[in-house]
């Protein structure tokens, strides 16, 4: 767990004279990996025989400059921000919740099945509220086993949460194909929540209000983790569990609470994606957002505001990449490569920075 | 139910357990070597996948199954090498780099597959088997265990060799020390970094062959994301085996049986959706962790970077 603190506890208060230099350093540390990743993945494109300028041109054009693309980008940010918020809680508490994809997908399937059932019988706002609550609860429920195993048996949560994801993805498919299947369609999928019953759109745009939910969640998480006693307790557990026990904290209870909050946020992301964007779940649908958000949260050093910026960047890449995939014939798997390179670049910049500071002392 | 348990059914059950379990065993064996040396190797899923891809590619291009396995092993080492560089030399987080390598291998193999094979989906011919005289004519077990591709026997040999190395050799002792108390190993004049690097590269080699077994023998074809968590199951096997290679073998066959039981049931005419089948090994892993999680044992220095002289 020392790894998390090593990267997370970097923003120590600097002497006043060095504040600006320190900020410049943090900015360079954040942007350096991004530039490096863009360069290196451009080389990968070149090796595949694709013009990197054409590819990134489409990405920027379709993900950022085109108004519909930009609205799609902002809509995609909603669930990603919720997942990022959940990861920040877990990582700051030193817990590797890598099961976000299972928590997300199961919640999505349950909410997709529940929404069209409830919609004819109650007002829209109540359907949406119940959907969000149920989504959060399903997400949290899918983390109970890893949480208890970690808290009371000391079983490594990386393994258990990953296993729960594999289990959850298959279970989601079973649910869609066997239990929640819409009899009216030939392709196995759940019944569709009609557009009028979905999360409202913002003003005259196509942006889902899921964006607002995501923004509120990540800012609240940031403030709770940095400004409240509860956040401090979680950070102590993350930094040094043994010290936390000596300080009289109930580490098992805090561990379970961390899992529950983190997974509930991932579940909320699933609900927001279904009730704001998709409307239904098709069999074998798995966007696998969570594992790709992990590097973004690391780049942001578990800071909520910085995470918003990185989630925005990634959303541009992801929406733009979908259009670029159609135009240039590079499948969307390419974003996985970019994220991997980004993580490695992050590690290298971290290493270089530590060496530079060690040399400066 | 009596009609279900024919000789053919039992043979396909054991055979399926072996075919599904062997890649898990190689991954678990590899992971065990890394963990003994103090490296938690989350990138093993990526190593398997890249091994599966490269093994298939080499076997397809050269027509030689043996070169294919060699290619698979090298493919796994190609993913292990950055892990060794970043985590052991530079001391970066083993978990972050492990996730990065797994994601990268997933993306890269899917991309390469898309550009090379997505139009044609070529298949490899069935792999020739080597019947062991005498044993292979045993009822039920004979055809399932002793009439297999030679790589299966080599993999079993690898378990025995690993067990021997762990127990009776200097190298085994050095591995154990690198994970238990790296400072002691350093004081004894052995380079901790080198021991760990070799361990991680060996892991990559074994995991890569495991992946290649999946694509060359198991499926006869490479499909993106085909390892589907086998590497992670390997990690669990290594954790539960508490440093003993024979336990990895037993565990892998158990999970393999779990996978093949459902396949064999399908052969026997009981229909189960494939998604349920895919859930079984992971449910089994979780059940094992719930029942025996407390008894998992990991070296004290696992996941920590060794810095000479640091306290």
């Amino acid at each position: 767990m020392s790894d998390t603190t090593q990267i997370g506890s970097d923003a120590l208060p600097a002497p006043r004279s060095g504040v600006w230099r320190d900020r410049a350093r943090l900015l360079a540390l954040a942007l350096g990996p991004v530039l490096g990743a863009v360069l290196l993945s451009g080389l990968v494109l070149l090796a595949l025989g694709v013009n990197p300028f054409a590819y990134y041109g489409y990405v920027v054009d379709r993900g950022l400059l085109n108004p519909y693309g930009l609205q799609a980008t902002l809509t995609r940010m909603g669930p990603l921000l919720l997942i990022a918020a959940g990861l920040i809680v877990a990582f700051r508490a030193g817990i590797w919740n890598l099961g976000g994809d299972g928590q997300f997908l199961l919640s999505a399937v349950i909410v997709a099945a529940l929404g069209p059932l409830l919609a004819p019988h109650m007002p829209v706002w109540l359907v949406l509220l119940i959907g969000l609550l149920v989504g959060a609860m399903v997400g949290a429920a899918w983390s109970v086993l890893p949480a208890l195993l970690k808290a009371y048996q000391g079983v490594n949560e990386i393994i258990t949460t990953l296993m729960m994801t594999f289990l959850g993805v298959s279970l989601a498919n079973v649910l869609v194909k066997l239990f929640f299947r819409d009899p009216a369609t030939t392709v196995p999928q759940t019944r569709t929540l009609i557009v009028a019953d979905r999360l409202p759109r913002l003003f005259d745009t196509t942006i889902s209000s899921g964006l607002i939910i995501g923004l509120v969640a990540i800012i609240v998480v940031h403030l709770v983790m940095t400004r409240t006693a509860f956040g401090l307790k979680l950070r102590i557990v993350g930094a040094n569990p043994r010290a936390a026990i000596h300080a009289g904290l109930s580490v098992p209870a805090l561990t379970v609470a961390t899992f529950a909050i983190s997974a509930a946020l991932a579940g909320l992301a699933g609900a927001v994606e279904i009730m704001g964007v998709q409307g239904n779940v098709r069999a074998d649908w798995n966007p696998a957002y969570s594992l790709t958000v992990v590097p973004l949260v690391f780049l942001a050093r578990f800071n909520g505001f910085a995470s918003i910026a990185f989630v925005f960047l990634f959303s541009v890449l992801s929406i733009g990449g979908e259009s670029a995939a159609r135009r240039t014939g590079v499948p969307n798997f390419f974003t996985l490569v970019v994220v991997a390179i980004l993580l490695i670049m992050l590690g290298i910049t971290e290493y270089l920075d530590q060496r530079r500071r060690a040399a400066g002392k | 139910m009596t009609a279900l348990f024919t000789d053919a059914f039992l043979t396909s059950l054991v055979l399926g357990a072996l075919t599904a379990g062997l890649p898990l065993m190689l991954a678990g064996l590899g992971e065990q070597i890394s963990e003994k040396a103090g490296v938690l190797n989350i990138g093993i899923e990526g190593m398997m996948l890249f091994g599966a891809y490269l093994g298939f590619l080499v076997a397809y291009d050269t027509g030689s199954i043996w070169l294919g396995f060699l290619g698979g092993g090298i493919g796994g080492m190609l993913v292990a090498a950055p892990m060794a560089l970043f985590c052991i030399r530079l001391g970066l987080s083993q978990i972050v780099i492990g996730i990065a390598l797994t994601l990268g291998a997933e993306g890269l193999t899917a991309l390469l597959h898309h550009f090379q094979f997505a139009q044609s989906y070529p298949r490899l011919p069935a792999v020739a088997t080597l019947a062991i005289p005498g044993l292979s004519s045993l009822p039920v077990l004979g055809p399932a265990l002793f009439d297999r591709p030679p790589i299966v026997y080599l993999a079993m040999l690898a378990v025995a060799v690993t067990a021997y190395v762990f127990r009776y050799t200097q190298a085994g002792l050095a591995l154990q020390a690198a994970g238990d108390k790296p400072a002691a190993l350093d004081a004894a004049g052995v380079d901790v970094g080198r021991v760990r690097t070799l361990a991680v590269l060996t892991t990559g080699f074994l995991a890569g062959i495991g992946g290649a077994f999946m694509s060359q023998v198991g499926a006869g074809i490479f499909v993106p994301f085909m390892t589907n968590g086998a590497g992670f199951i390997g990690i669990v096997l290594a954790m539960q085996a508490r440093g003993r290679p024979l336990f990895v073998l037993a565990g892998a066959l158990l999970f393999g049986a779990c996978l093949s039981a459902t396949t064999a049931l399908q052969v026997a005419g009981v229909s189960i959706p494939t998604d349920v089948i895919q859930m079984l090994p992971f449910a089994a892993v979780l059940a094992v962790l719930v029942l025996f999680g407390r008894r998992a044992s990991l070296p004290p220095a696992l996941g920590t970077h060794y810095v000479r002289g640091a306290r």
Side-chain angles (χ1 to χ4, degrees):
Chain A
M1 283 324 97
S2 59
D3 303 309
T4 37
T5 51
Q6 183 195 340
I7 291 181
S9 64
D10 219 41
L12 296 169
R16 186 160 289 236
S17 61
V19 163
W20 282 108
R21 213 174 45 179
D22 204 54
R23 282 189 187 159
R25 192 190 118 243
L26 279 177
L27 198 67
L29 276 181
L31 291 183
V34 175
L35 289 178
V38 167
L39 267 175
L40 267 183
S41 48
L43 289 179
V44 172
L45 283 175
L46 214 54
L48 292 170
V50 177
N51 181 350
F53 293 103
Y55 183 87
Y56 283 117
Y58 279 125
V59 168
V60 172
D61 184 48
R62 295 288 149 163
L64 188 65
L65 302 179
N66 176 308
Y68 291 107
L70 182 62
Q71 290 173 14
T73 297
L74 292 174
T75 297
R76 173 144 306 173
M77 281 179 73
L80 295 183
L81 284 173
L82 283 163
I83 292 172
L87 292 178
I88 289 174
V89 174
F91 290 169
R92 282 209 184 228
I95 285 168
W96 291 90
N97 175 15
L98 300 183
D101 287 327
Q103 293 147 11
F104 173 94
L105 202 59
L106 268 183
S107 145
V109 168
I110 304 272
V111 168
L114 197 65
L117 271 185
L118 296 180
H121 307 295
M122 48 184 75
V124 176
W125 64 267
L126 193 57
V127 176
L128 294 177
L129 192 67
I130 293 178
L132 293 176
L133 280 176
V134 167
M137 280 182 338
V138 170
W142 206 241
S143 78
V144 166
L145 193 60
L148 294 179
L149 282 173
K150 166 81 177 175
Y152 298 103
Q153 305 266 29
V155 177
N156 187 320
E157 76 280 12
I158 298 174
I159 304 304
T160 50
T161 52
L162 278 171
M163 294 292 128
M164 291 301 277
T165 279
F166 283 105
L167 204 58
V169 169
S170 295
L171 182 60
N173 274 332
V174 171
L175 289 177
V176 171
K177 286 175 187 166
L178 294 186
F179 299 105
F180 301 152
R181 186 172 173 172
D182 182 357
T185 57
T186 47
V187 190
Q189 61 177 45
T190 64
R191 296 206 294 140
T192 306
L193 190 65
I194 58 169
V195 176
D197 291 341
R198 295 189 194 168
L199 286 171
R201 289 172 173 178
L202 296 178
F203 314 112
D204 288 339
T205 66
T206 59
I207 304 169
S208 165
S209 48
L211 173 66
I212 305 292
I213 301 179
L215 283 173
V216 168
I218 201 159
I219 292 171
V220 166
V221 158
H222 182 84
L223 295 179
V224 166
M225 292 311 286
T226 52
R227 304 288 154 86
T228 66
F230 180 68
L232 181 64
K233 282 181 192 168
L234 290 191
R235 281 186 291 146
I236 294 173
V237 174
N240 191 339
R242 208 172 286 172
I245 294 173
H246 285 297
L249 299 179
S250 166
V251 175
L254 286 171
T255 302
V256 174
T258 305
F259 267 108
I261 297 169
S262 173
L265 285 164
L268 204 55
V272 163
E273 175 81 6
I274 292 311
M275 296 194 304
V277 188
Q278 305 286 341
N280 62 31
V281 173
R282 278 161 284 122
D284 300 320
W285 175 72
N286 176 19
Y289 287 147
S290 182
L291 223 48
T292 41
V293 173
V294 171
L296 308 178
V297 174
F298 269 93
L299 270 176
R301 279 142 212 284
F302 311 151
N303 178 309
F305 296 103
S307 297
I308 298 175
F310 283 109
V311 164
F312 175 70
L313 261 181
F314 177 75
S315 297
V316 171
L317 178 71
S318 144
I319 294 286
E322 280 168 18
S323 310
R326 286 192 293 275
R327 298 293 186 84
T328 58
V330 179
N332 228 5
F333 305 126
F334 181 67
T335 37
L336 280 179
V337 178
V338 178
V339 166
I341 297 177
L342 194 58
L343 262 181
I344 291 174
M345 288 287 127
L346 165 72
I348 293 175
T349 22
E350 198 73 35
Y351 168 76
L352 291 177
D353 179 58
Q354 273 171 15
R355 259 191 41 171
R356 203 180 57 88
R357 280 199 295 175
K361 263 170 199 166
Chain B
M1 285 302 280
T2 47
L4 204 62
F5 291 100
T6 58
D7 280 5
F9 173 80
L10 288 176
T11 301
S12 74
L13 190 71
V14 178
L15 176 61
L18 189 71
T19 310
L22 201 88
L24 302 179
M25 186 207 81
L26 284 167
L29 197 61
E31 182 70 26
Q32 192 164 51
I33 296 171
S34 270
E35 285 185 5
K36 242 199 169 66
V39 181
L40 182 61
N41 199 335
I42 302 277
I44 192 164
E45 176 81 8
M47 295 171 198
M48 283 191 93
L49 197 54
F50 208 71
Y53 166 77
L54 207 62
F56 174 80
L57 183 71
V58 171
Y60 179 67
D61 280 348
T62 62
S64 158
I65 194 85
W66 289 109
L67 285 179
F69 283 120
L70 188 66
I74 290 171
M77 284 168 89
L78 282 178
V79 181
M83 174 116 202
L85 173 68
F86 294 129
C87 301
I88 299 165
R89 294 290 156 192
L90 304 189
L92 303 181
S93 162
Q94 293 172 4
I95 297 167
V96 175
I97 294 298
I99 295 174
L101 291 175
T102 294
L103 285 179
E106 282 179 354
L108 203 59
T109 51
L111 269 184
L112 290 169
H113 173 265
H114 175 84
F115 281 101
Q116 288 172 305
F117 300 128
Q119 309 299 325
S120 53
Y121 279 97
R123 262 184 179 281
L124 291 175
V127 179
T129 59
L130 175 73
I132 295 179
L135 289 173
S136 61
S137 51
L138 287 173
V140 181
L141 288 182
L145 294 182
F146 301 110
D147 188 11
R148 298 282 83 229
I151 188 80
V152 173
Y153 311 131
L154 280 184
M156 297 297 158
L157 194 65
V159 176
V161 169
T162 312
Y164 178 81
V165 168
F166 279 177
R167 192 147 188 179
Y168 296 110
T169 64
Q170 292 257 347
L173 196 61
L175 272 176
Q176 178 122 27
D180 283 349
K181 199 144 186 68
L185 186 63
D186 200 7
V190 182
D191 185 344
V192 176
R194 178 178 297 175
V195 171
R196 288 183 168 180
T197 302
L198 285 174
V200 167
L201 288 177
T202 311
T203 304
F205 188 72
L206 288 172
I209 291 180
F213 185 86
M214 284 179 116
S215 61
Q216 290 180 202
V217 181
I221 185 170
F222 177 80
V223 187
F225 309 100
M226 73 180 297
T227 49
N228 192 28
F232 297 126
I233 295 184
I235 298 178
V236 175
L237 283 174
M239 271 167 60
Q240 294 304 122
R242 291 186 281 165
R244 276 168 295 189
L246 271 177
F247 279 44
V248 174
L249 173 63
L253 289 179
L254 202 69
F255 287 129
C258 214
L259 272 169
S260 76
T262 41
T263 322
L265 282 176
Q266 278 184 321
V267 172
V270 184
S271 92
I272 305 165
T274 49
D275 298 296
V276 176
I277 299 172
Q278 283 169 356
M279 282 168 70
L280 273 178
F282 300 107
V285 168
L286 282 164
V288 165
L289 286 174
V290 168
L291 292 174
F292 307 111
R294 200 185 273 278
R295 296 173 66 188
S297 124
L298 296 169
L302 188 72
T304 55
H305 177 52
Y306 175 66
V307 186
R308 177 175 284 181
R311 296 175 62 86

